[in-house]
Amino acid sequence: MAMTSCFFTVPTPNTSSSISESNLQRPHLAFSPRLSSFSSSFTAKSISFHRRVTISPVFSKGGSDNNNNNNNNGGDGGDGGDGNNGDGDGGEDRDRNRSEAMMLLAESGTELESLPKDLVAAIESGRIPGSVITRFLELQRSAVMRWLMQFGGFRERLLADDLFLAKLAMECGVGVFTKTAAEYERRRENFFNELEVVCADVVMAIIADFMLVYLPAPTVSLKPPLALTAGGISKFFHNCPDNAFQIAISGTSYSLLQRFGAIARNGAKLFAVGTTSSLVGTAVTNAFIKAKGAVDKTSEGEVETVPIVSTSVAYGVYMAVSANLRYQVVAGVIEQRFLEPMLHQHKLALSAMCFAVRTGNTFLGSLLWVDYARLIGIQKSH
């Protein structure tokens, strides 16, 4: 019987070895406390290894978003699906998201059952990456944020942008001053003669400012899927983003049609907000005019009352078109896609830049409203 020899060659760690690093892949585990990278994903029964994936603070970068949208633009935007269309990449993203989130919760000692139900459902379905869980745990340290996170709308917006509350305060805080300044810029010597109209504009602005920041703000969507019996239109708008330009997080994508749907849906909401706030504002203006006429008989008839219906509808249209588009661009493009990536590690500078941008946008909106109101004849120029 012939003898068979068997030789095993083990490469030694020599720089002259013909085996390159690309040919010899060594699986390893690496986990950053803030989820800056993952080299592995864990499942309940096994351990699998993947290429290193870099995760941004909350949202994936524009390239990932664009790739997902390319998969989505084939006409599936309105079918009520989850945006991934069942492609393999979406499934891998969701598996990775689920693993990241569960690892973070385990490390922090947080029980899954202690989280809000919508957040639990999003984790179990893999719709949010671990970076969102990191932000949630950070926000829970503040008593004010913890209280606000009890409300679904605030929770979705704070998880997407930890400066959302500051931006809301900025907008409402400067709204009175910037709009009053814009009114004076347009009216000059007639400012005090038209003070009743100025007051109406400022009152409308204060009521609308909150919704102008709230509605177009980028969100981490935690909404549960609609029932199978829901109509096609309802499913379509349900799956549209809150901001047409927001970056899609890992495991989620939006089609071009869905992004247009976000503009239309927010436009309809802001039309209702604008019309309602204008009703209040014009009612207050008319009350001022009548009170002035009762006190000063010589001024009676000098200033006409503001037409309520036409002014309210006009302001609703202005909110749905001009304000809607401007605030979508500010929140989804200027802030999220430009300022936040550049100044993410410098919160004070980021807040200052957001303050400057939003102040300028508010002032521009006031100028546009005065011109628009005079163009359609609901306000007269003297």
Side-chain angles (χ1 to χ4, degrees), residues 18 54 63 81 117 120 142 152 211-212 235 244 280 285 307 331 356 378-379:
S18 61
T54 300
K117 292 182 179 180
V120 172
S142 167
M211 300 306 294
L212 278 173
K235 289 182 178 180
V280 176
T285 298
I378 62 173
Q379 289 186 13

Side-chain angles (χ1 to χ4, degrees), residues 146-363:
R146 187 164 57 248
W147 179 76
L148 287 174
M149 295 275 280
Q150 296 177 357
F151 306 98
F154 275 98
R155 182 162 56 246
E156 290 185 331
R157 286 159 176 80
L158 288 170
L159 289 177
D161 182 7
D162 54 356
L163 290 179
F164 170 73
L165 197 60
K167 294 173 183 177
L168 194 61
M170 292 175 197
E171 196 76 35
C172 294
V174 304
V176 175
F177 301 103
T178 55
K179 284 177 170 56
T180 303
E183 294 286 346
Y184 181 78
E185 177 68 21
R186 285 296 185 189
R187 303 177 192 278
R188 293 292 181 177
E189 65 276 2
N190 295 315
F191 179 81
F192 290 101
N193 294 332
E194 302 174 0
L195 194 58
E196 293 83 1
V197 179
V198 172
C199 289
D201 290 345
V202 173
V203 170
M204 288 188 288
I206 294 173
I207 297 174
D209 275 343
F210 177 89
M211 300 306 294
L212 278 173
V213 180
Y214 185 88
L215 290 177
T219 61
V220 172
S221 179
L222 302 177
K223 296 176 292 188
L226 291 179
L228 295 177
T229 56
I233 295 178
S234 298
K235 289 182 178 180
F236 169 72
F237 283 111
H238 179 80
N239 289 287
C240 290
D242 285 281
N243 185 288
F245 306 102
Q246 74 176 67
I247 301 172
I249 62 175
S250 175
T252 305
S253 62
Y254 302 112
S255 69
L256 183 61
L257 187 60
Q258 285 175 319
R259 292 186 181 276
F260 277 112
I263 295 176
R265 183 182 62 187
N266 271 354
K269 292 179 180 180
L270 287 174
F271 174 81
V273 170
T275 302
T276 303
S277 64
S278 182
L279 287 172
V280 176
T282 51
V284 171
T285 298
N286 290 344
F288 282 160
I289 294 173
K290 291 179 180 179
K292 183 179 179 180
V295 174
D296 185 5
K297 297 297 184 180
T298 60
S299 64
E300 190 174 1
E302 291 182 1
V303 182
E304 297 179 359
T305 57
V306 179
I308 294 180
V309 176
S310 58
T311 301
S312 301
V313 172
Y315 192 66
V317 171
Y318 164 81
M319 289 277 285
V321 179
S322 175
N324 181 25
L325 292 175
R326 284 187 292 106
Y327 277 86
Q328 296 248 8
V329 170
V330 166
V333 178
I334 298 176
E335 291 179 344
Q336 192 182 69
R337 292 184 179 267
F338 287 97
L339 296 181
E340 290 181 9
M342 289 190 300
L343 302 172
H344 178 70
Q345 301 298 329
H346 308 281
K347 293 295 184 182
L348 186 60
L350 177 58
S351 299
M353 289 299 297
C354 291
F355 177 83
V357 169
R358 287 183 173 273
T359 300
N361 178 56
T362 302
F363 185 77

